[in-house]
Amino acid sequence: MSAADKPANSLWGGRFGAGPAEIMRRINASIDFDKRLYAEDIAGSKAHCAMLVARNVLSPEDGAAILAGLEQIASEIESGSFAFSDEHEDIHMNIEARLAELIGPAAGRLHTARSRNDQVATDLRLWLRNGIDRLDLAMRGLQQALIDRAVAEAETVMPGYTHLQIAQPVTLGHHLLAYVEMLGRDRGRLADCRRRLNECPLGAAALAGTSFPIDRDATAAALGFDRPAANSVDAVSDRDFALEFLAAAAITGTHLSRFAEEIVIWCSSEFGFISMTDAFTTGSSIMPQKRNPDAAELVRAKTGRLNGSLVSLLTVMKGLPLAYGKDMQEDKVPVFEAVDALELCLAAMAGMVRDLQPRRDRLRVAAEAGFATATDLADWLVRAAGVPFRRAHQATGEIVKRAERLGCSLAELPLAELQTIEPAITPAVYDLLDPVRSVASRTSFGGTAPESVRAAAQEARKRFLK
């Protein structure tokens, strides 16, 4: 065949007599971002090649040449000497084109009994599986940092809030363990996602399977999947595994953002609950006195990237008929960006947890403000004086009003003033109006008492760090 007789596009074959417009080439190419899938693509090609040889679809000689060529390509990419080209559109065709340069026509036999549709679905599942494993390790590291800090601060009294209004005294250790539990559920969601995505699309081909005598169980096992995907149309056409991951990532990001917001608040001069070193703060280009909690602010902001990635892929997928559509080329960037952003946020947050220094004096003073022990007073009236809770609640509210008018705390209010409102009150009540005694009394399971915090931390180590 003369050069003039050859198809204008070597990827699409003889159906097309002319090449694409320049803008079509640009919008169609994905190599700039999907080259991140090179290791997964090569792993999938190796498994597919070995299976074809085992099923006598491919000769042992061609199989050996293909495997050797793929090994060289992997080495070239890892060393930085591989020349990626958008003329070849994507990572699959870049590798196949280089394989043809290395071993000749045998390279064309590798694509027997598969399509780029099942190839890319396999690649993305492999990549995301590895990404989830890295994220789980990072979440575990953050949990460990939080648990270690919680033990150190098991007796550090601070105000607990609802509506960002002082509610009851708690311990800082107890507060930090709340995020350990959130992260535990986040890890559970990612584990569930990993389990569901661990089915192999390879062998589904374009959408209908193949007439070649392939062994899909063999390729699935070789790539560490639990099983081959059961339906060839579903295998190439859905990205619910990516959506599930992005939803889980967005929830995790929300948890991190809430904690980051607290760090920002706690660092402010108005609160002054914690300080942080130069390692996780920055200065100002004009105000020399500033120490800004930029790491926390950026973790808070990157939640927007995670939410955006989820909405982006949901929008891509929402109107697609079965099976594959080129729209699905847009599935990778949201997943890549979400894994990158979340991995960075987790590392930054773990660093901040280890870096922050509680200002225990400020925390204690704040815990004494806002009549934080009012609930203890109401509970005492019920427990020690036999007052019905609704009456105890009303009386305590009147006592708080009296303390506000006199400009003093509940602990400073004279006994006579207390008894004017509720005669059943005795001097013993003052023992519970102190924040330290208040938190020590909260010994119920999951409560804030120091002994409960230490026990909860020990149990959390068993559940999450084993």
Side-chain angles (χ1 to χ4, degrees):
M1 181 185 293
S2 68
D5 294 328
K6 290 181 180 178
N9 191 298
S10 60
L11 306 187
W12 304 335
R15 174 66 177 84
F16 289 79
E22 171 62 17
I23 192 65
M24 177 60 190
R25 183 184 62 79
R26 288 171 55 196
I27 197 173
N28 197 47
S30 59
I31 188 59
D32 284 348
F33 53 85
D34 69 17
K35 61 187 176 185
R36 292 184 67 166
L37 298 173
Y38 81 88
E40 291 75 20
D41 196 71
I42 290 173
S45 290
K46 286 180 176 179
H48 186 66
C49 176
M51 181 274 295
L52 292 179
V53 171
R55 302 295 289 177
N56 297 316
V57 177
L58 195 63
S59 72
E61 295 77 17
D62 284 345
I66 288 169
L67 291 175
L70 290 172
E71 288 284 357
Q72 180 171 337
I73 291 169
S75 178
E76 290 175 359
I77 294 175
E78 288 163 5
S79 68
S81 63
F82 188 92
F84 293 102
S85 170
D86 61 6
E87 293 293 335
H88 298 305
E89 292 187 15
D90 55 34
I91 187 60
H92 324 297
M93 300 314 300
N94 267 263
I95 290 175
E96 184 174 320
R98 178 57 177 152
L99 188 62
E101 292 175 355
L102 292 172
I103 69 171
R109 296 189 173 94
L110 175 60
H111 209 53
T112 304
R114 76 175 183 185
S115 161
R116 283 189 293 174
N117 294 356
D118 61 339
Q119 194 176 356
V120 70
T122 301
D123 290 359
L124 187 57
R125 284 174 186 257
L126 286 172
W127 190 93
L128 184 52
R129 192 176 69 187
N130 291 333
I132 288 174
D133 290 344
R134 295 197 310 275
L135 289 171
D136 182 73
L137 190 62
M139 289 182 185
R140 183 186 185 280
L142 176 52
Q143 284 181 305
Q144 181 164 356
L146 286 164
I147 291 169
D148 291 345
R149 178 65 75 175
V151 172
E153 307 300 335
E155 297 186 17
T156 302
V157 175
M158 66 173 289
Y161 294 88
T162 62
H163 309 277
L164 203 56
Q165 304 294 312
I166 292 176
Q168 293 178 260
V170 296
T171 60
L172 179 56
H174 187 60
H175 188 102
L176 295 176
L177 286 178
Y179 288 104
V180 173
E181 296 299 324
M182 294 179 207
L183 286 163
R185 294 191 294 275
D186 293 332
R187 290 178 68 187
R189 276 183 281 271
L190 286 185
D192 288 344
C193 175
R194 190 192 192 285
R195 177 175 54 81
R196 272 186 285 275
L197 72 77
N198 208 35
E199 297 183 347
C200 185
L202 203 58
L207 79 161
T210 178
S211 59
F212 288 95
I214 61 172
D215 184 350
R216 294 191 61 210
D217 288 301
T219 49
L223 294 170
F225 288 106
D226 293 332
R227 64 192 67 84
N231 181 281
S232 61
V233 175
D234 175 60
V236 301
S237 67
D238 206 354
R239 294 296 185 270
D240 58 353
F241 67 93
L243 290 168
E244 183 176 4
F245 164 73
L246 292 173
I251 293 171
T252 303
T254 299
H255 288 154
L256 297 182
S257 182
R258 295 182 72 183
F259 190 21
E261 170 70 2
E262 291 192 315
I263 289 175
V264 172
I265 292 172
W266 292 350
C267 282
S268 68
S269 56
E270 289 79 7
F271 277 72
F273 286 178
I274 63 171
S275 61
M276 298 209 311
T277 71
D278 297 349
F280 290 94
T281 57
T282 65
S284 165
S285 63
I286 189 173
M287 295 169 284
Q289 83 282 9
K290 295 293 293 298
R291 183 188 290 276
N292 301 321
D294 281 6
E297 291 172 359
L298 288 167
V299 168
R300 185 176 61 185
K302 286 185 184 297
T303 304
R305 283 180 177 261
L306 298 171
N307 294 346
S309 292
L310 173 60
V311 172
S312 173
L313 188 54
L314 281 169
T315 305
V316 167
M317 297 300 299
K318 72 174 184 64
L320 296 187
L322 300 180
Y324 181 83
K326 196 59 180 269
D327 317 54
M328 292 160 70
Q329 181 169 288
E330 296 297 316
D331 61 354
K332 285 168 280 298
V333 171
V335 171
F336 293 161
E337 289 188 344
V339 171
D340 290 347
L342 188 53
E343 198 167 12
L344 181 59
C345 288
L346 288 164
M349 190 61 76
M352 283 186 281
V353 170
R354 295 187 181 95
D355 184 76
L356 66 85
Q357 294 300 316
R359 298 179 62 184
R360 297 182 180 90
D361 55 338
R362 290 290 294 268
L363 288 165
R364 171 64 186 269
V365 169
E368 294 173 342
F371 309 106
T373 55
T375 303
D376 296 273
L377 173 56
D379 288 347
W380 183 90
L381 286 171
V382 172
R383 186 174 59 251
V387 177
F389 181 79
R390 285 301 170 198
R391 167 59 194 156
H393 186 281
Q394 180 180 352
T396 301
E398 293 173 7
I399 290 169
V400 167
K401 187 187 299 184
R402 181 72 60 87
E404 281 182 323
R405 187 163 58 248
L406 296 176
C408 65
S409 69
L410 294 180
E412 294 168 336
L413 203 61
L415 180 62
E417 294 285 349
L418 295 171
Q419 292 176 333
T420 298
I421 296 170
E422 177 51 68
I425 294 176
T426 71
V429 76
Y430 288 102
D431 289 340
L432 292 178
L433 298 182
D434 174 71
V436 173
R437 290 192 175 95
S438 172
V439 298
S441 72
R442 307 289 174 179
T443 56
S444 59
F445 179 78
T448 191
E451 63 184 82
S452 299
V453 170
R454 293 188 185 97
Q458 184 176 2
E459 179 60 27
R461 288 191 198 278
K462 295 177 183 177
R463 282 191 290 146
F464 300 125
L465 305 184
K466 60 184 178 181

